[in-house]
Amino acid sequence: MAARAAGPAPRKCGRGEGGARLRGGSAAPGGGRWRRAAAMEEFRRAYARLCAAGGAAPQEAVLRRLRELGEAPGRGRLDLAAQSLSLETCGALGRLLPGAAPFAEVALGDCGLSEEGVKLLLHGLCSNTTVKSLDLKGNNLRTMGAEALGKLLRQNKSIRSLILEWNSLGVWEEGFSFFCQGLGANNFLQRLDLRNNQINHHGAGELAMALKRNASLQELDLRWNNIGLLGGRALLNCLHSNKTLKRLELAGNNVPSDILKAVEQALDHNQDRQTILSETQNRACMLSKEILNLKDEKTKQFLDLMDTIDKQREEIARSGRISAGRVSQLQEALKEQHSIMNSVKAKLQMTEAALALSEQKVHNLGELLSAMKQEQANMVERHFAELQQQKQEGADREGKLFRDLSACSEKNLLLRNQVDELEKKCKVQQDQLFQLKQDLTNTTAELKLRAVQAEERLEMEKRRLKQSLEDMESLRLKEVDHMTQHMEASERSLQDRVQRLEAIRIALEEELSQVKAAALTERGHAEEELIKVRNQARLDEQQRLEHLQEKLRLMTESRDEAQNCCLKQKQMVSEAQAKASQLSLHTDGLRRRIEELQQDLNSKEQEKVTEVNKVKVELQEQIGHLQAERAAQEGLREKIAALERQLKVLSSNHREALLDKEVEISVLLEKLRMKEADISRMREEEAQRANLLQNAIMAYIQGSPLRTHSSRK
C-alpha cells in the first residue's frame, strides 16, 4: 500500500519537468513554434473528426489537453494521465498515431484502458516514427495487452523509453512470453520499467532469454516483483552474454544478497566495457584522422617532389636546347671558317678585301651596339616616365578614395548618431554599423599596404633592371674596346710585315739591276777572262740563286703567318657576332620581362579599382538598408504606440477576467481536493481488496491438489 501510494509522486515531478520544458521552449524560434502549434491544431481537429465519424462525441478532457499542448508546443508531450479514455477515443488516437506525430512523449498512466483500447493504441504506435517515450503505468494490462506490447517492440523503431509500472503482465505467462520475444527482437529500446508487475521466476527466465538476444537495452527496473532465487540466477546468467545493460534494479524481489552483488559486478563490468569501447572508438577516430593527415602530408610532399623533378627536367631540357643551339652555331661558324681558309689559301690578294670587310663589319657592329644602347636608354626613360605617370595616377586615385572614405565615415557617424537615438531594438544595427566601419578601415589598410608593396616591387624591379643594363653596357664596352684594340694591333702588324716584304722586294730588284749593270759592264772587260772565271761566275750565281730561294722561302712563311693572323681575326669577328646575338637575346628577354611587369601592374591596378568599386557598392547598399530599416523602425514605433494603447485596454479587461477566474479556480480547487480524497480512499479500499483477493488465491492454490500435480509435471 505504501509503495502504491508513493506512485503518483513521480508523475507530479514529470509535470513540473514538462512545465520547465514549456518555459525553455518559449525561447525557440517563432517559425518552429507556429508550425508545431499548427500541427497540433490539425491533430486535434482530426481527432474530433474521427470521433464524429465513429458516431461518438470527442472527450472534453482529451480536447482540453490537446488544446493546452497546442498553446504550449515547446513541451512535445501528450499527457493524458489519469484520464478515463473510451474505446472510441483509443481507436481515433490509434488511427492518428502512425507516421510522424507532433509530440515525442505519450503519457497514458492510470487511464483505465481496456484490452481492446490498448490494442488499438499500440497498433497505431507500431508504425510511428517520432514518439520516443511511452508511459502505460497503472492500466492493469493483461494477455492481449502483453501481446500488443510484444508486437510494438518488434515493429517500432523510435521508442527509447517504455514505462509499464503497476500492471499485471507477469500473471499471464503466455502473454508475458510473447512480450519477452518482442523485447528480444527489439534493438532500439534503452529503458524499460516493469515495477510491480507480479513477475515470478518463470517470467524472469523469459526476460533473461530476451536479454541474451537484445543489444540495445541499458536500464531495466524490476523492483517489487516475485522473481526470487531462480529468477535472480537466470538474470545473472544472462548478463554473461548481454554486454549493453548498465542498470538493473532488483530490490523487493527476495533475491539473495550474493546474487545482487554478482549482478552489480556484472553491470559494473558492462559499464567498464562500454567506457573502454567508447575510448577505443575515440582513439580509433583520432588515429584515423592522424593517418589521413599523414597521408595528406605525404601526398603534398610527393607532389612537391614531382614538381621539383619536373622543373629540373625542364631546366635540363632548356639547357640542352641552348647548348644544342650553341653547338649548331659553332658548327656553322667552323664551316664558314673552313670556307674562308680555303678561299684565303687560293688567293692571297683577298686578304686585304677580307680585312676591309671585317673592318666594315666591326664598324657596323659598333653602330648597331650604339643604336641598341640608345634604344635601351630611350626604353628605360619611357618606362620610367610611364611608371611615374602610373604612380601619379595611383596617388590621385588614393586621394580620391581617401576623400570618399572620409565622406563615408562622416555619413556613418551621422547615421550612428541617428541610430543611437532609437530604442533597444536597434542595438543589432549599431553592431552591424560598427562592424562595417571596421571592414572599411581594414579594406583601406589593405589597399594602402598593397599600394606600398606594388611601389616597392616597382622600385626593386627598376633598380634590378637598371643594374642589369649597366652591367650589360659595361660588358659590351669592354668587349668592343678589346676587339678594336686587337684589330688595330693586328692591322698594324700586317701593315709592318707588308712594308718589310715590299722593302725586301725593292732591295732584291735593285740588287738584280745592279747585277745586270755590273754584268754588262764587266762583259766587255771580262770577255777575255770569261773562260777563266766562268766556273767562278757559275758558283756565284748558284750561291745567289740559293740566297734568293731562301728569301722567297722566308716570304712564303711570312705570307702563311699573315694568313693565320687573318683567320684568327675572322674567328674573333665571328665570336663578337655570337656575343652580340646573345646580348640581343638577353635584351629581348629583359624587354619581355618589362612587358610582363607592366601587365602585372595593370592587373593589380584593375584589381584595386574593382575592390574600391565593390567597397563603394557595399557601402551604398548598407546605407540603403539602414535607411529602409530606419523607416521600418519609425513604422514600428507607431505600431508599438498603437499596441501599447490596445495593451492598456486589454490589461484592464484581463485584470477583471483574472479576478473572476481566481474565484472560479478557488471553487474548483475545493472540489478537486474533495475528489482526490475520495479517489485516495477508493484506491486504498481497492488495494486492500486486491491484497485480500491475492492472499485468498494464494491460499487456495497452496491448499489445492492442482499445485501438487503441477509440481510433479
Side-chain angles (χ1 to χ4, degrees), residues 136-153:
L136 292 172
K137 177 170 56 177
N139 282 292
N140 197 19
L141 300 180
R142 300 173 190 174
T143 304
M144 192 179 293
E147 291 178 356
L149 285 171
K151 183 180 178 182
L152 173 69
L153 291 175

Side-chain angles (χ1 to χ4, degrees), residues 254-267:
N254 296 323
V255 179
S257 60
D258 55 347
I259 294 177
L260 290 175
K261 290 181 180 178
V263 169
E264 289 179 359
Q265 290 178 0
L267 293 174

Side-chain angles (χ1 to χ4, degrees), residues 113-232:
L113 299 174
S114 63
E115 292 285 312
E116 190 65 29
V118 170
K119 186 176 179 181
L120 291 173
L121 283 171
L122 296 180
H123 179 71
L125 285 171
C126 286
S127 58
N128 187 274
T129 58
T130 58
V131 175
K132 306 294 182 184
S133 176
L134 177 60
D135 186 357
L136 292 172
K137 177 170 56 177
N139 282 292
N140 197 19
L141 300 180
R142 300 173 190 174
T143 304
M144 192 179 293
E147 291 178 356
L149 285 171
K151 183 180 178 182
L152 173 69
L153 291 175
R154 278 194 183 91
Q155 297 181 5
N156 188 276
K157 297 181 181 180
S158 64
I159 293 177
R160 301 293 184 267
S161 176
L162 181 59
I163 300 174
L164 300 173
E165 181 186 358
W166 285 105
N167 287 290
S168 301
L169 296 176
V171 175
W172 317 98
E173 293 183 0
E174 293 181 359
F176 192 71
S177 176
F178 196 82
F179 170 76
C180 292
Q181 291 176 7
L183 179 62
N186 185 280
N187 288 320
F188 301 96
L189 189 66
Q190 297 179 356
R191 180 173 177 266
L192 178 60
D193 189 351
L194 291 174
R195 289 179 291 175
N196 293 296
N197 270 278
Q198 301 181 18
I199 300 172
N200 55 13
H201 61 278
H202 294 294
E206 294 288 341
L207 271 176
M209 294 296 293
L211 290 175
K212 287 181 180 179
R213 299 193 304 272
N214 187 280
S216 64
L217 193 64
Q218 298 179 1
E219 297 182 9
L220 177 60
D221 196 344
L222 294 173
R223 288 180 290 179
W224 313 113
N225 287 292
N226 298 319
I227 291 174
L229 175 62
L230 297 177

Side-chain angles (χ1 to χ4, degrees), residues 77-91:
R77 176 182 172 88
L78 178 59
D79 191 357
L80 298 175
Q83 301 292 331
S84 180
L85 301 180
S86 63
L87 184 61
E88 290 79 6
T89 297
C90 294

Side-chain angles (χ1 to χ4, degrees), residues 690-707:
N691 288 327
L692 291 173
L693 181 61
Q694 184 179 0
N695 292 329
I697 292 169
M698 294 299 291
Y700 176 73
I701 291 170
Q702 289 176 1
S704 65
L706 292 172
R707 185 175 180 273

Side-chain angles (χ1 to χ4, degrees), residues 401-415 433 436-437 440 615-616 619-620 623:
L401 286 173
F402 282 133
R403 289 192 296 274
D404 294 335
L405 288 173
S406 62
C408 290
S409 62
E410 290 175 359
K411 290 180 181 179
N412 288 328
L413 289 172
L414 292 173
L415 291 172
L433 189 60
L436 178 62
K437 189 173 180 181
L440 285 173
V615 170
K616 286 182 178 179
L619 281 171
Q620 291 176 358
I623 288 167

Side-chain angles (χ1 to χ4, degrees), residues 45 59 64 88 93 109 114 121 135 174 258 265 323 346 361 417 447 515 546 555 579 581 588-589 608 614 677 679 686:
R45 291 176 181 175
Q59 292 183 256
R64 185 172 63 254
E88 290 79 6
L93 291 176
S114 63
L121 283 171
D135 186 357
E174 293 181 359
D258 55 347
Q265 290 178 0
S323 60
K361 286 182 179 180
N417 293 326
L447 289 173
V515 168
E546 288 176 358
M555 289 176 70
K579 287 181 180 179
S581 64
D588 293 334
K608 184 177 177 182
K614 190 185 293 182
I679 289 167
E686 287 177 358

